[in-house]
Amino acid sequence: LANQRNPLNAERNDEPGSRARDTQTKTGCWEKLHQSVPQYMLPKELHSVYLEKANCFPPPIFIILISIAELAVFIYYAVWKPQKQWVTLDEGIWNSPLTYRPDHRQEAWRFVSYMFVHAGVEHIVGNLLMQLLVGIPLEMVHKGFEVGMVYMAGVIAGSLASSIFDPFSGLVGASGGVYALLGGYFMNAIVVRGCIQFCSIKLHFLSIVGGDFGFALYRRFVAHDNLQVSFVAHLGGIAAGMTIGFVFFSAYNQKLLKDFRFWVCIAGYIVFLFFAVVYNIFISPAP
């Protein structure tokens, strides 16, 4: 009788619990992204540690600021030299003091500053999309210093590799840094998940990377422009990511200075820098 007399009260008593269950079952897009990152980068036993460490304190400010800076420079050149700037490379960007040019390689800042200028709207949109989607989740755990180190290692490795293997071509875009993040992320994913399973899950994302890489090859070998833009920075960035990035991102719960792999990668990177500097000063066939 008590249950029959107070059906509404029973429903009211269950209402908070049902709301809590509904809240638990409903997962937003950000939560899904947040929970999916450790699945493709870390062993299962470290997933909970990742989810505990991933936070916005401090916020992922490096990736956000570098993206804003790259977008601001692109808009500046698009407005300053509007002829075809929104679509393809033009003389305005080629003559920029930021662009890496083989005939101006004595201006050492160009080996880094080229990341701020882009060849067109499809170029910058692709780079920003990839570095935000990958960089923000990484920076939520590894924070700005480590992500910034990997990113800049890819930028420098990309320009130096381009100066060695494609010495007569210029260079624009942040692909070196972007592909360093991707290289570190994918290397961890392959080691943790296995190549076949990883590739089947991430085929949609790899298609974006393949499209960007294909466009870089088209711009270098097919497009009949007077301005040749190298694609080698992509490869240099991937190499930096699969070595330095792999160490940084796989040892996220350890002290890097105590990791032997860290010192091996640092030593290898320094040797590469030294060789590239000597090559550009004494051996390079570029003017």
Side-chain angles (χ1 to χ4, degrees):
L1 292 174
N3 291 336
Q4 292 177 359
R5 289 174 184 172
N6 300 306
L8 295 177
N9 290 338
E11 291 178 4
R12 291 193 186 101
N13 291 335
D14 289 342
E15 191 174 9
S18 63
R19 287 181 178 177
R21 286 192 297 270
D22 291 342
T23 303
Q24 292 176 357
T25 56
K26 292 180 180 179
T27 305
C29 295
W30 179 254
E31 287 78 10
K32 290 180 180 178
L33 175 63
H34 178 56
Q35 295 174 8
S36 67
V37 172
Q39 296 179 11
Y40 306 117
M41 289 191 64
L42 299 169
K44 188 175 181 179
E45 61 270 14
L46 294 179
H47 289 184
S48 60
V49 181
Y50 169 90
L51 294 174
E52 291 176 2
K53 284 181 170 288
N55 58 71
C56 293
F57 301 101
I61 195 168
F62 173 80
I63 288 296
I64 292 175
L65 288 181
I66 205 73
S67 299
I68 292 174
E70 291 164 3
L71 182 60
V73 171
F74 174 77
I75 293 175
Y76 169 76
Y77 280 105
V79 173
W80 179 50
K81 282 283 189 179
Q83 299 87 355
K84 298 192 300 182
Q85 274 301 292
W86 293 103
V87 179
T88 187
L89 187 66
D90 198 69
E91 291 290 341
I93 286 181
W94 185 248
N95 293 326
S96 168
L98 302 176
T99 301
Y100 170 77
R101 292 177 53 176
D103 56 337
H104 287 73
R105 68 184 185 281
Q106 69 275 11
E107 298 170 348
W109 71 83
R110 292 178 182 262
F111 285 90
V112 176
S113 63
Y114 78 94
M115 70 179 180
F116 292 108
V117 290
H118 287 78
V121 65
E122 74 289 334
H123 191 197
I124 190 168
V125 167
N127 278 348
L128 291 182
L129 182 64
M130 287 190 290
Q131 75 184 25
L132 289 172
L133 288 177
V134 176
I136 288 179
L138 287 174
E139 195 170 346
M140 287 174 62
V141 172
H142 304 283
K143 307 310 174 187
F145 175 76
E146 293 185 2
V147 172
M149 288 287 288
V150 174
Y151 190 92
M152 295 308 301
V155 169
I156 297 173
S159 57
L160 291 176
S162 178
S163 69
I164 294 172
F165 298 105
D166 197 6
F168 297 104
S169 297
L171 198 60
V172 294
S175 297
V178 173
Y179 278 77
L181 297 181
L182 292 174
Y185 178 84
F186 287 168
M187 189 66 179
N188 277 280
I190 292 173
V191 170
V192 172
R193 301 288 287 185
C195 184
I196 297 177
Q197 185 178 7
F198 166 74
C199 291
S200 63
I201 294 174
K202 287 298 180 180
L203 185 61
H204 61 287
F205 193 79
L206 291 174
S207 64
I208 300 176
V209 176
D212 178 74
F213 207 98
F215 179 75
L217 293 173
Y218 170 82
R219 193 169 55 234
R220 173 62 178 85
F221 295 108
V222 180
H224 298 289
D225 296 328
N226 294 326
L227 312 175
Q228 289 187 338
V229 181
S230 177
F231 69 95
V232 180
H234 295 68
L235 302 177
I238 290 175
M242 296 182 72
T243 51
I244 293 179
F246 172 66
V247 174
F248 270 86
F249 298 153
S250 64
Y252 83 105
N253 202 30
Q254 305 173 17
K255 297 293 184 181
L256 278 174
L257 297 181
K258 296 181 179 180
D259 193 331
F260 176 74
R261 300 173 304 166
F262 172 76
W263 294 109
V264 172
C265 289
I266 292 298
Y269 194 80
I270 292 175
V271 170
F272 168 71
L273 289 179
F274 178 77
F275 172 79
V277 170
V278 171
Y279 179 88
N280 276 280
I281 294 176
F282 300 107
I283 305 174
S284 176

